[in-house]
């Protein structure tokens, strides 16, 4: 019969690197018999710990019971106490009285690709801080980064993958399920890539697509039920340029839905309306900060603007009303305007809120007996605003400057005038036209009254 004692544990050799487990299954000490799988793990640093090898749902698992109390680093168990603890644990496991012993993060990483409840983003929640992410169940992209990028392939670009998924993918499709109803579809990917190209350029859109294709191919090789939504030819640079603008009736339906939509953050309706009235990209508006506001002017700093140049937007009265009050619970005089975290972070949960908004728009149109609204994305509001500027008689150069576009040629090099007042007039005209579109009946009555007075 195998023996074990304090002296035997003390004499176990220290490995040159890593660690080694010495098993003592069935060994006895002072009338106590060690269960199957009982052993001592010795590390290269000289630490000796008692362990119990067993299985969790068929998977091998080596659970640490505690350090041997003769360790210079400190210990908690004698050999006999370790055997007693291991015996009790083995019986609890056998009789089903023991919960899954794996650490929380180990359970999430190992069980995260279970089809039920698996989402695309998981812990890549843009509204979560690092502590929150540790508590969230991992999604497909989390598993890819943790298992493949960091462990299997040990990619130097692992952090870049993680950053791209968190900044550009999670806000759009992170909360979509991988399987079942409402799962990620090709159209979701296409819309997301269009938004990324509009806001970050075609190079970043192509890079994001490459990262996603790699992640989905990796997951498809592990799960036969997963269908990769990315197919050959899904994106060709220059061929996916959107031309969609919202018609007048669509703008009215949008505003009506924004005033009635439920299950969205309180800031969301104001945020969406601001996209049209300031003709900004969604991430620019989502990160609007109190420090960027100076009276009636909003300056988007160069470090977060696409052209790398400060962009000043004179806010119309209608746009100023959307800023709202200081968020409840915000600290000091610094906060994000559109926020779900008391001003600590800017709004980022685009996809879920947009789906709820689409449902509200569909209801508005269904109640009126009209066809569903054709597909649209938030960036279409920027394009719509530019079109309305032309409709309002705004000179093309002024309109382009309002959108932050750089005027090319000799004028772009030598004309350093800020055109601030001209831009102010443009945004006022835009707000006036939007108001007329939203309230056509009132405009008709006003014109009729003027004719009577004349």
């Amino acid at each position: 019969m195998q023996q074990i004692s304090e002296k035997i544990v003390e004499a176990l050799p220290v490995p040159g690197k890593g660690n080694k487990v010495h098993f003592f299954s069935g060994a006895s000490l002072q009338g106590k018999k060690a269960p199957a799988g009982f052993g001592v793990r010795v590390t290269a640093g000289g630490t000796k710990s008692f362990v119990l090898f067993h299985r969790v749902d068929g998977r091998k698992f080596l659970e640490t019971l505690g350090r041997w109390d003769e360790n210079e680093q400190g210990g908690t168990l004698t050999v006999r106490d370790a055997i007693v603890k291991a015996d009790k644990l083995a019986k609890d496991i056998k009789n089903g009285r023991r919960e899954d012993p794996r650490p929380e993060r180990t359970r999430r990483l190992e069980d995260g690709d279970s089809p039920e409840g698996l989402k695309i983003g998981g812990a890549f929640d843009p509204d979560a801080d690092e502590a929150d992410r540790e508590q969230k169940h991992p999604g497909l992209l989390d598993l890819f980064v943790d298992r493949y990028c960091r462990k299997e392939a040990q990619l130097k670009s692992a952090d870049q993958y993680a950053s791209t998924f968190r900044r550009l993918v999670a806000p759009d499709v992170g909360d979509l399920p991988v399987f079942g109803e409402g799962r990620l579809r090709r159209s979701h990917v296409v819309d997301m890539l269009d938004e990324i190209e509009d806001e970050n350029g075609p190079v970043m859109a192509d890079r994001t697509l490459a990262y996603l294709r790699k992640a989905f191919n990796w997951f498809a090789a592990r799960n036969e039920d997963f269908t990769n939504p990315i197919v050959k030819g899904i994106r060709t640079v220059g061929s996916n340029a959107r031309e969609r603008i919202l018609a007048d009736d669509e703008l009215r339906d949008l505003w009506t839905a924004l005033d009635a939509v439920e299950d969205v953050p309180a800031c969301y309706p104001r945020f969406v309306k601001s996209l049209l009235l300031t003709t900004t990209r969604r991430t620019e508006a989502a990160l609007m900060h109190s420090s960027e506001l100076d009276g009636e002017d909003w300056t988007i700093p160069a470090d977060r603007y696409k052209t790398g140049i400060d962009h000043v937007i004179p806010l119309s009265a209608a746009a100023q009303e959307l800023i709202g009050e200081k968020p409840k619970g915000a600290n000091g005089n610094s906060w994000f305007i559109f926020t779900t975290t008391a001003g600590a972070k800017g709004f980022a949960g685009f996809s879920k809120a947009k789906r709820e908004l689409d449902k509200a728009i569909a209801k508005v149109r269904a109640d009126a007996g009209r066809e569903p609204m054709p597909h649209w994305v938030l960036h279409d509001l920027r394009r719509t605003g530019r079109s309305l500027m032309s409709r309002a008689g705004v000179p093309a150069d002024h309109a382009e400057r309002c959108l932050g576009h750089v005027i090319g040629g000799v004028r772009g090099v030598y004309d350093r005038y800020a055109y601030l007042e001209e831009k102010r007039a443009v945004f006022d005209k835009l707000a006036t036209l939007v108001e007329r579109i939203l309230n056509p009946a009132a405009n008709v009555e006003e014109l009729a009254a003027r004719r009577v007075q004349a």
Side-chain angles (χ1 to χ4, degrees), residues 126-127 267 285-288 336-341 343-349:
D127 284 332
C267 69
L287 297 178
M288 181 191 290
F336 286 95
I337 303 302
F338 304 114
T339 180
T340 60
T341 55
K345 291 184 289 187
F347 179 70

Side-chain angles (χ1 to χ4, degrees), residues 191-265:
D191 288 344
M192 177 191 67
L193 294 173
D194 285 346
E195 292 276 14
I196 294 173
E197 179 173 0
D198 287 336
E199 297 187 358
N200 300 276
V203 173
M204 183 55 72
D206 290 337
R207 181 181 301 168
T208 303
L209 174 60
Y211 286 178
L212 278 177
R213 179 181 281 114
K214 195 174 187 69
F216 291 161
N217 285 340
W218 173 84
F219 189 75
R222 300 169 64 91
N223 192 304
E224 63 274 14
D225 295 324
F226 176 66
T227 301
N228 189 341
I230 296 178
V231 297
K232 185 177 181 180
I234 192 173
R235 170 179 166 77
T236 302
V237 177
S239 67
N240 292 334
R242 292 178 59 84
E243 298 178 353
R244 174 89 158 93
I245 63 172
L246 273 63
D248 289 2
D249 66 312
E250 293 175 331
L251 286 176
R252 288 191 287 270
D253 293 338
L254 170 60
W255 247 247
T256 300
L258 286 170
D259 292 336
V261 65
E262 300 177 350
D263 297 326
V264 299

Side-chain angles (χ1 to χ4, degrees), residues 160-377:
Q160 189 170 341
Y161 273 88
S163 175
T164 299
F165 292 153
R166 183 170 294 119
R167 292 184 302 105
L168 303 179
V169 179
D172 265 313
V173 301
D175 67 323
L176 292 176
V178 176
F179 301 97
E181 184 178 357
R183 69 184 183 278
L184 179 72
R185 297 184 180 277
R186 192 172 306 152
S187 59
H188 295 136
V189 177
V190 172
D191 288 344
M192 177 191 67
L193 294 173
D194 285 346
E195 292 276 14
I196 294 173
E197 179 173 0
D198 287 336
E199 297 187 358
N200 300 276
V203 173
M204 183 55 72
D206 290 337
R207 181 181 301 168
T208 303
L209 174 60
Y211 286 178
L212 278 177
R213 179 181 281 114
K214 195 174 187 69
F216 291 161
N217 285 340
W218 173 84
F219 189 75
R222 300 169 64 91
N223 192 304
E224 63 274 14
D225 295 324
F226 176 66
T227 301
N228 189 341
I230 296 178
V231 297
K232 185 177 181 180
I234 192 173
R235 170 179 166 77
T236 302
V237 177
S239 67
N240 292 334
R242 292 178 59 84
E243 298 178 353
R244 174 89 158 93
I245 63 172
L246 273 63
D248 289 2
D249 66 312
E250 293 175 331
L251 286 176
R252 288 191 287 270
D253 293 338
L254 170 60
W255 247 247
T256 300
L258 286 170
D259 292 336
V261 65
E262 300 177 350
D263 297 326
V264 299
C267 69
Y268 187 68
R270 293 186 292 113
F271 162 70
V272 174
K273 293 177 180 180
S274 76
L275 296 177
L276 177 64
L277 293 176
T278 63
T279 59
T280 48
R281 302 172 181 87
R282 63 176 187 174
T283 51
E284 294 163 359
L287 297 178
M288 181 191 290
H289 195 269
S290 60
S291 63
E292 299 171 354
L293 299 173
D294 183 11
E296 299 177 352
D297 298 334
W298 169 30
T299 300
I300 305 177
D303 61 1
R304 71 178 192 86
Y305 199 68
K306 188 174 181 179
T307 62
I309 303 172
D310 286 355
H311 178 46
V312 182
I313 299 177
L315 298 173
S316 62
Q320 292 178 53
E321 290 179 2
L322 300 176
I323 293 176
E325 302 294 329
K326 177 181 178 180
K328 185 177 181 180
N331 295 322
N333 296 316
S334 178
W335 63 87
F336 286 95
I337 303 302
F338 304 114
T339 180
T340 60
T341 55
K345 291 184 289 187
F347 179 70
F350 302 119
S351 58
K352 183 178 181 180
K354 174 61 163 51
R355 288 195 293 275
E356 293 300 322
L357 175 57
D358 285 338
K359 292 178 185 176
I361 294 174
K363 184 177 186 304
V364 169
R365 295 175 75 93
D367 290 346
R370 289 181 284 126
E371 293 294 321
M373 182 166 161
H375 178 69
W376 70 289
V377 298

Side-chain angles (χ1 to χ4, degrees), residues 414-429:
Y414 290 100
D415 187 355
R416 315 314 276 175
Y417 178 59
Y419 289 89
L420 187 60
E421 293 310 313
E422 288 82 354
K423 288 163 65 175
R424 193 180 310 281
V426 172
F427 282 112
D428 286 343
K429 287 183 178 181

